[in-house]
Amino acid sequence: MQGLDDLYREVILDHYRTPHGSDALENPAVKVEGFNPLCGDELVMEMSVDADGRITALHIEPNGCSISVASASMLVQQLSGKTLQEAIALKDIFKAVMRGESWPAGQDFGDLEALEGVKNFPVRVKCALLAWMTLEQALAQYDPELAGQVEADDDIEVKTH
Amino acid sequence: MTIDTEAATGASSGSAELDVARIRADFPILQRQVHGKPLVYLDNSATTQRPDAVIDAMSNFYRTSNANVHRGVHLLSEEATDAYEGARAKVAAFLNADSTQSVIFTRNTTESINLVAHAWARRHVRKDDEILLTVMEHHSNLVPWQLLAQERGCKLRFLDIDEAGHLQLENLNEVLNEHTRLVALTHVSNALGTVNAIPTIACAAHSVGAKVLVDGAQGVPHGPVDVQALDCDFYAYSPHKALGPLGIGVLWARRDVLEEMDPFLGGGEMIRDVTLERSTWAAVPHKFEAGTPSVADAVGLGASIDYLEGVGTAQIRQHEVKINEYLLGRLRELPWLTVYGPQDPRDRCSLASFNDNQIHAHDLGTILDQHGLAIRAGHHCAKPLMRRLGVMATARASFYIYNDLDEVDRLVEALFEARKVFGLAT
Ligand SMILES: Cc1ncc(COP(=O)(O)O)c(C=O)c1O
């Protein structure tokens, strides 16, 4: 079925079956819990950052549907080793794509591009965004200066530890 | 206001089996296509569809008799008042209420329960008193009591379920005592389908002097309800879950209990006299109905009761058991599914709450939607029950009088399709 094949691409199902970032971190810099009250999906995220402001490791414990798990797994895949600024930039692009915009030309977003089909299923967009909204809070918690660059989403609640 | 009862007899009340094809013809929305497929509507526990008889009764009211009630001396106002009070009488007879005056119109089950929490419980429940609930309650029969407990310092206790999803009635005497003021529980679970033994529980509750509130949101749709035989003190339900309009709710309470209650909302319609300093209250039930009521919804509710009675509530219950027998049997053919709730088709209403061991309920919901099937996926506003079951969510297919066995087959086919989408063996 066309719509479904577009949503449940093989790479999404692969991430769902074996998500990246399953190893817990020792002494993470931040630990936050994202929660989507609309559907009950939950996500724990831990992040380690080095002295240069680079994300050295991410750990996620996703508890939700294939889209939210795959999106969280791809986030880990894309952002490990990136700077906090790069993380913010990618997060903004991903949110824009979920709102209906196209991927910026000339850049490769890897597996993440497979999530584009989600935007044709409006009720599932929140699923794809949960990990990224949780990331925003993790960044804001790590460095309050970054808080100005993240915006809260009323439908997704994030608890910090 | 006359209601066209001819049109409302989708099935003859004498026959043992529902004539589902004839019933379906009364529901215009069932002609719809969804994603290019004929709609299979299996989200009836959230809200059912409405037959032409209900839609027409409401639109006729707006076209011919619309006016405010209990106010004007003109003919239209009189007709509107008759229609509104006539609907109250229908509800009273439908529930076998002790008096027409003991039926109160609200917005929905949630508001009915909140009305009891405010107007009854705030007068009768004190610090250290206890309210007994169950772990299977919908949030609307939990949160109002949590608010009361915070305010009053009373204690909430909970009756647990067993592995099959039945309430553990053998523990009733441990959780009831002379401090129990109220037992509030659901007639039928919206997430498990369990039909609870209300008379047994009411008898035990009354023996310690507690009142009994029944959340009938899933009770009324699924068979005959007799509030006196149930032996409860309050019964709340939402007509929109039984072919009626959205936007109107019902609270029945025993007349003597109502007489001792404080008002709920203050305003017009609910007063006897008003001075600048104080007011006195109108008689029951108007004391609890402040402001302009939803008259057209009451008219639609009356028409939905005529329709249900035309079909026959006992026949509806038989149809449910027939659906359940087939549904539970077919779902058991799928070894990767866990089906929650009682195994005996007679112990449940016609819904199945289940999980695939590899596919999350939301994914099932999306995949089934693409096949034209509307089901619910999530926590069903019963998060404590989900925790008790050790899951985040379930998929729920809930059937009603216009659903037939072939739609069970469509459900099972779509569950196979979902396995294919996820590349899983069947
Ligand atoms: C058992 C139960 N109680 C209460 C409710 C709340 O009904 P409403 O939203 O119409 O107030 C529902 C509906 O979902 C229900 O299933």
Side-chain angles (χ1 to χ4, degrees):
Chain A
M1 202 168 282
Q2 185 51 45
L4 285 177
D5 291 345
D6 221 35
L7 182 64
Y8 294 112
R9 298 197 187 150
E10 200 48 46
V11 20
I12 293 181
L13 297 177
D14 284 344
H15 277 273
Y16 174 53
R17 289 184 199 113
T18 43
H20 291 255
S22 54
D23 296 335
L25 306 185
E26 254 174 57
N27 296 322
V30 283
K31 175 172 179 174
V32 294
E33 227 175 283
F35 173 59
N36 182 347
L38 296 179
C39 64
D41 280 3
E42 289 176 3
L43 177 77
V44 176
M45 182 181 288
E46 294 177 350
M47 182 171 75
S48 295
V49 183
D50 70 12
D52 304 331
R54 223 169 249 288
I55 299 173
T56 51
L58 280 159
H59 162 60
I60 50 160
E61 280 165 42
N63 205 335
C65 65
S66 62
I67 303 301
S68 80
V69 174
S71 181
S73 169
M74 292 174 187
L75 178 151
V76 172
Q77 187 186 40
Q78 295 285 324
L79 294 185
S80 300
K82 295 276 167 33
T83 65
L84 298 178
Q85 286 306 332
E86 285 168 331
I88 289 176
L90 184 62
K91 178 254 328 170
D92 287 340
I93 290 170
F94 185 69
K95 281 172 72 176
V97 170
M98 286 297 115
R99 277 198 300 265
E101 288 172 31
S102 309
W103 294 101
Q107 268 177 279
D108 179 8
F109 296 95
D111 293 353
L112 206 49
E113 291 180 11
L115 280 171
E116 188 168 356
V118 177
K119 70 185 184 198
N120 300 323
F121 292 80
V123 293
R124 304 301 298 279
V125 166
K126 294 273 179 220
C127 310
L129 286 179
L130 176 62
W132 301 82
M133 306 306 296
T134 309
L135 171 75
E136 290 199 336
Q137 296 310 313
L139 294 169
Q141 200 201 341
Y142 176 73
D143 181 356
E145 300 234 315
L146 295 174
Q149 298 181 50
V150 303
E151 41 172 300
D153 180 311
D154 288 345
D155 291 332
I156 292 177
E157 285 170 15
V158 183
K159 272 192 288 185
T160 48
H161 285 253
Chain B
M1 215 35 243
T2 54
I3 282 142
D4 183 6
T5 40
E6 288 293 282
T9 47
S12 62
S13 42
S15 73
E17 295 225 337
L18 296 194
D19 185 346
V20 177
R22 274 193 69 188
I23 291 176
R24 289 184 72 83
D26 294 332
F27 290 79
I29 204 169
L30 298 179
Q31 306 307 316
R32 257 203 77 159
Q33 302 263 315
V34 170
H35 303 299
K37 302 271 164 71
L39 167 67
V40 177
Y41 187 75
L42 301 180
D43 195 15
N44 291 288
S45 295
T47 194
T48 62
Q49 301 300 343
R50 341 251 161 257
D52 279 325
V54 170
I55 300 167
D56 293 347
M58 293 173 69
S59 107
N60 283 341
F61 169 78
Y62 279 126
R63 285 170 196 283
T64 62
S65 303
N66 179 57
N68 210 325
V69 289
H70 304 132
R71 290 188 187 179
V73 289
H74 56 83
L75 181 67
L76 291 189
S77 173
E78 222 175 275
E79 285 181 9
T81 305
D82 287 350
Y84 183 66
E85 294 302 329
R88 193 190 309 278
K90 273 187 188 160
V91 174
F94 185 58
L95 299 178
N96 191 29
D98 53 343
S99 92
T100 302
Q101 264 42 54
S102 53
V103 170
I104 298 163
F105 287 133
T106 61
R107 278 189 310 141
N108 45 38
T109 304
T110 305
E111 187 173 290
S112 296
I113 295 171
N114 276 276
L115 192 159
V116 177
H118 281 265
W120 180 82
R122 275 178 173 69
R123 189 195 272 205
H124 294 279
V125 179
R126 297 195 177 73
K127 187 168 174 347
D128 300 329
D129 283 347
E130 295 182 5
I131 295 177
L132 178 63
L133 308 167
T134 82
V135 297
M136 64 165 75
E137 296 313 308
H138 188 282
H139 297 162
S140 67
N141 193 30
L142 174 59
V143 180
W145 309 117
Q146 292 175 343
L147 292 172
L148 183 81
Q150 279 163 20
E151 184 187 312
R152 286 297 149 102
C154 60
K155 188 172 164 192
L156 304 182
R157 302 191 68 164
F158 298 91
L159 194 58
D160 200 1
I161 52 172
D162 61 20
E163 289 314 305
H166 288 287
L167 289 175
Q168 294 182 345
L169 295 186
E170 61 280 13
N171 294 343
L172 204 47
N173 289 333
E174 282 165 35
V175 284
L176 278 174
N177 59 57
E178 74 276 12
H179 300 293
T180 315
R181 287 287 154 273
L182 179 72
V183 177
L185 82 163
T186 192
H187 192 172
V188 175
S189 162
N190 66 312
L192 295 170
T194 317
V195 179
N196 289 324
I198 302 296
T200 308
I201 296 165
C203 179
H206 288 147
S207 73
V208 297
K211 295 276 185 283
V212 177
L213 177 143
V214 176
D215 169 354
Q218 301 296 342
V220 168
H222 300 287
V225 170
D226 177 335
V227 289
Q228 298 192 65
L230 288 174
D231 194 22
C232 55
D233 301 284
F234 303 97
Y235 194 94
Y237 88 95
S238 291
H240 71 84
K241 293 181 194 283
L243 311 183
L246 294 162
I248 190 164
V250 170
L251 173 67
W252 166 84
R254 266 189 20 228
R255 182 73 184 266
D256 55 318
V257 177
L258 277 181
E259 296 293 350
E260 305 181 349
M261 280 164 54
D262 293 319
F264 176 41
L265 303 175
E269 312 269 6
M270 54 76 75
I271 48 83
R272 169 165 301 153
D273 191 20
V274 179
T275 65
L276 283 177
E277 287 75 30
R278 58 181 52 85
S279 304
T280 51
W281 316 131
V284 168
H286 300 114
K287 173 178 175 179
F288 302 106
E289 293 179 358
T292 298
S294 187
V295 186
D297 288 329
V299 169
L301 164 55
S304 68
I305 289 176
D306 289 339
Y307 191 94
L308 291 171
E309 287 181 332
V311 174
T313 50
Q315 278 81 355
I316 292 175
R317 183 66 196 137
Q318 275 176 25
H319 181 67
E320 297 231 305
V321 173
K322 175 178 126 182
I323 293 269
N324 276 348
E325 280 167 355
Y326 190 63
L327 174 66
L328 294 175
R330 294 271 1 235
L331 293 182
R332 275 190 209 113
E333 291 170 16
L334 315 184
W336 59 85
L337 282 195
T338 303
V339 182
Y340 304 95
Q343 293 298 308
D344 188 328
R346 287 161 304 184
D347 290 349
R348 53 197 291 158
C349 70
S350 53
L351 69 79
S353 207
F354 56 85
N355 271 319
D356 183 302
N357 62 12
Q358 302 288 325
I359 309 176
H360 192 280
H362 298 151
D363 292 314
L364 285 179
T366 295
I367 296 169
L368 267 55
D369 176 52
Q370 291 292 314
H371 288 84
L373 284 86
I375 64 156
R376 176 92 182 260
H379 51 62
H380 315 296
C381 298
K383 291 197 80 174
L385 177 64
M386 295 293 115
R387 286 201 185 91
R388 174 67 182 79
L389 297 173
V391 298
M392 304 284 291
T394 73
R396 179 186 73 187
S398 51
F399 292 71
Y400 208 41
I401 55 175
Y402 35 69
N403 297 119
D404 217 342
L405 303 185
D406 60 326
E407 290 176 304
V408 174
D409 294 332
R410 292 270 312 272
L411 171 67
V412 172
E413 279 161 28
L415 291 171
F416 271 99
E417 289 299 320
R419 298 290 287 191
K420 278 193 211 152
V421 170
F422 271 68
L424 296 162
T426 54

